[in-house]
Amino acid sequence: MAETLPETMIAVGFDAPGGPEVLRPVRQPVPQPGAGQVLIRVAYAGVNRPDVVQRQGFYPPPPGASPIPGLEISGTVVALGTGVDTVLLGQPVCALVSGGGYADYCLAEADHCLPVPEGLPLDQAAALPETLFTVWHNVFERGYARDGETILVHGGTSGIGSMAIMLGKLFGLTVIVTCGGADKCAAALQIGADHAIDYKAQDFVEEVKRITGGQGVELVLDMVAGDYVARNLQCLREDGRHVTIAVQGGVRAEINMAQVMVRRLTLTGSTLRPRSNGFKALLAQEIAQSAWPLVESGALRPIMDQTFALADAAAAHARMEAGAHIGKIVLKAG
């Protein structure tokens, strides 16, 4: 039987962009699921870099999305929109959402949800969708990674970086990461990276050359952009692929196009949030078939950093911006 839902809920939003302190709990109506949607009573919400960038005023939600931050959640399905299979009601799920995760209740497209298997705690379930969807699409679909290849990943201990290490190893890649400091390098090796380069103490281009015997890597997963792009291209072997998923180092890059031609390099990139519901549904299907069995078996688990209460979202953002976290930060709702 469907539970009786409250009329209002607590959500964490902001009136104007600014530092972490602009985040504050507000009371809002509980949203109603439309066609193809489910309403989830949120147990945990993941905190991601795009949430921080949105709060700073540089990443507005796509049209029709909730202005409340939060791109991934776990919890229980408590109401269904029209056309949704009734078997979902009462099920524990995690979901990729376009916004609205920092709340007691959140809407999700039914086909953007994945079942939470027995043995996967809900805090870990909330820490999976954003990084798993992003890494799967960019490393395997856009980057065409194949067994036996080598990938260079920047930010090895971030949520994305740690997921790229684990997925890469599970699918037969050699993974080289960059991290800021010896302690983070040690953490990345613990997570499973084959090599970790301290970019503060070493030139990562020279280190990649040394590690690969001068061959270079087949693939770079780039979150920095800016002046890293030209250096990343120096790390690629012939026919290498460069995939950009964030521009933390700036949106402009100057590159030698003759080198791109002579060495047949491919440059691509993507952002997940503005993609169509149909695209995300297909991506969820592919993940359900190819990667979710690894979650069900226990072979894939997110690296967890710290849990904060929903009302303490400002402290969670401050921790992410300080850069000391290793793995995923989540908020506990309710």
Side-chain angles (χ1 to χ4, degrees):
M1 198 175 96
E3 62 182 70
T4 307
L5 299 173
E7 287 181 8
T8 63
M9 64 176 185
I10 295 295
V12 172
F14 55 93
D15 292 328
E21 70 285 349
V22 301
L23 291 172
R24 60 185 184 85
V26 291
R27 193 159 275 289
Q28 289 197 338
V30 171
Q32 301 297 309
Q37 293 183 322
V38 295
L39 180 69
I40 296 169
R41 186 176 68 243
V42 178
Y44 293 88
V47 176
N48 291 285
R49 183 70 55 180
D51 305 347
V52 171
V53 183
Q54 177 180 335
R55 190 208 73 230
Q56 292 167 338
F58 302 117
Y59 192 36
S66 169
I68 294 294
L71 300 177
E72 59 184 349
I73 53 171
S74 68
T76 306
V77 176
V78 292
L80 309 176
T82 54
V84 177
D85 191 334
T86 53
V87 79
L88 269 176
L89 197 60
Q91 293 302 308
V93 297
C94 58
L96 184 75
V97 294
S98 297
Y102 292 12
D104 290 333
Y105 293 88
C106 181
L107 293 177
E109 298 297 318
D111 48 15
H112 300 174
C113 296
L114 291 162
V116 176
E118 221 170 290
L120 177 66
L122 284 171
D123 60 335
Q124 292 186 29
L128 282 168
E130 170 72 8
T131 55
L132 184 50
F133 278 63
T134 299
V135 172
W136 185 265
H137 176 56
N138 288 287
V139 172
F140 297 101
E141 293 182 346
R142 301 196 77 78
Y144 301 110
R146 304 185 269 289
D147 322 4
E149 291 191 329
T150 301
I151 182 173
L152 171 64
V153 179
H154 292 299
T157 54
S158 66
I160 293 277
S162 56
M163 176 59 71
I165 292 171
M166 294 184 294
L167 266 188
K169 294 313 296 172
L170 287 164
F171 285 89
L173 303 180
T174 297
V175 183
I176 304 172
V177 299
T178 66
C179 306
D183 53 337
K184 286 202 166 186
C185 284
L189 294 171
Q190 192 83 41
I191 292 165
D194 295 286
H195 305 275
I197 301 166
D198 179 356
Y199 67 81
K200 292 181 175 176
Q202 297 167 297
D203 177 348
F204 73 79
V205 177
E206 289 306 315
E207 278 299 293
V208 167
K209 271 190 193 139
R210 182 187 67 75
I211 291 164
T212 61
Q215 293 293 301
V217 299
E218 280 86 1
L219 184 60
V220 175
L221 184 64
D222 169 46
M223 303 168 218
V224 185
D227 61 11
Y228 261 47
V229 177
R231 297 169 69 195
N232 289 340
L233 297 190
Q234 291 175 40
C235 295
L236 286 174
R237 61 193 301 161
E238 291 194 342
D239 296 296
R241 289 94 64 196
H242 183 280
V243 187
T244 298
I245 57 168
V247 289
Q248 292 173 26
V251 296
R252 295 185 184 279
E254 189 169 315
I255 58 174
N256 180 339
M257 290 308 291
Q259 281 296 310
V260 172
M261 289 153 54
V262 168
R263 298 171 57 222
R264 302 175 304 281
L265 305 179
T266 301
L267 278 71
T268 184
S270 74
T271 56
L272 185 56
R273 192 182 190 184
R275 295 300 294 270
S276 71
N277 285 340
F279 169 81
K280 291 176 192 173
L282 289 172
L283 187 51
Q285 272 175 32
E286 184 165 327
I287 286 167
Q289 288 163 3
S290 305
W292 210 244
L294 296 165
V295 176
E296 290 167 340
S297 73
L300 180 62
R301 288 288 183 268
I303 304 299
M304 302 300 288
D305 180 74
Q306 206 170 322
T307 301
F308 292 83
L310 179 61
D312 296 330
H317 274 226
R319 177 158 179 81
M320 176 163 274
E321 286 189 76
H325 65 290
I326 289 171
K328 295 286 299 202
I329 299 168
V330 295
L331 303 174
K332 187 179 195 306

